[in-house]
Amino acid sequence: WPASAWGLTFVMWAVMMIAMMTPAVLPTVLLYAATRRGRPRAALQVAAFTGGYLGVWTAWSVAATAVQWLLHQLAILDPMMANTSRAFAAVSLLLAGAWQWSPLKERCLAHCRSPLAFLLARWREGVAGALGMGLRHGAYCVGCCWVLMALLFALGTMEMRWIVALTALVLLEKLAPAGQWIARASGAGFIAWGGWLVLFR
């Protein structure tokens, strides 16, 4: 790839991650903003918290860009960024399904589903503290959702239907009353789909 391809691919991933993950973090940002109302430099602290969170996903986009380059080199992705390998799709779905049932996923999701508990447990004062909390919250969110985002390699990096579907799944996991069971149900669905691809080639 020329440098322009690396740059454009990174921008694509960064914009896509910010667009997909901002709705999920909005309740936490609003809650944090409410605690800062009337305080000195409140807007700067809210911006630092939000920037820290989105900065983690921007860093994840660097890794996604490198993975996309590798998949292109292996001819698993075509020039239109579509998956060409049924085996890659099957393995991706099976791994995603297993991750949805993993204890680490459950732990990260628990933090994301409880903004107030997270803020109380990780509270730091000042702009630097806000940035640190945003970074930590972003790290939990990446731990919760990175596999779902990585599924775009298998389902179609530029397929809007899958982008919308995965965004909706993330929102349901984090905001719906039965979010943890939704995560497990989706995991079972991914495993069934991946198994179908393996057994019925």
Side-chain angles (χ1 to χ4, degrees), residues 30-41:
L30 292 176
L31 180 61
Y32 178 71
T35 70
R36 300 290 86 198
R37 190 172 295 126
R39 304 274 183 142
R41 300 196 295 174

Side-chain angles (χ1 to χ4, degrees), residues 49-179:
F49 181 89
T50 308
Y53 175 88
L54 296 178
V56 175
W57 278 107
T58 302
W60 188 89
S61 300
V62 176
T65 301
V67 171
Q68 184 162 326
W69 170 83
L70 177 61
L71 294 175
H72 272 290
Q73 298 301 108
L74 297 173
I76 291 174
L77 295 182
D78 66 18
M80 298 303 294
M81 295 183 282
N83 175 32
T84 63
S85 171
R86 188 183 180 95
F88 175 72
V91 171
S92 298
L93 288 163
L94 291 170
L95 289 176
W99 182 260
Q100 292 292 87
W101 282 81
S102 70
L104 184 55
K105 160 77 179 191
E106 187 172 345
R107 179 184 173 193
C108 291
L109 181 58
H111 281 276
C112 294
R113 285 179 53 80
S114 304
L116 180 59
F118 170 81
L119 291 176
L120 289 174
R122 306 294 180 181
W123 186 264
R124 299 291 185 275
E125 286 291 344
V127 175
L131 177 62
M133 287 193 295
L135 291 169
R136 186 180 292 272
H137 189 57
Y140 279 119
C141 192
V142 169
C144 175
C145 301
W146 72 272
V147 170
L148 297 178
M149 301 301 105
L151 269 181
L152 288 171
F153 290 120
L155 301 176
T157 305
M158 296 301 292
E159 283 282 349
M160 187 56 65
R161 56 179 175 165
W162 292 120
I163 293 173
V164 172
L166 290 173
T167 301
L169 177 57
V170 168
L171 283 172
L172 288 172
E173 285 185 0
K174 294 189 175 186
L175 303 180

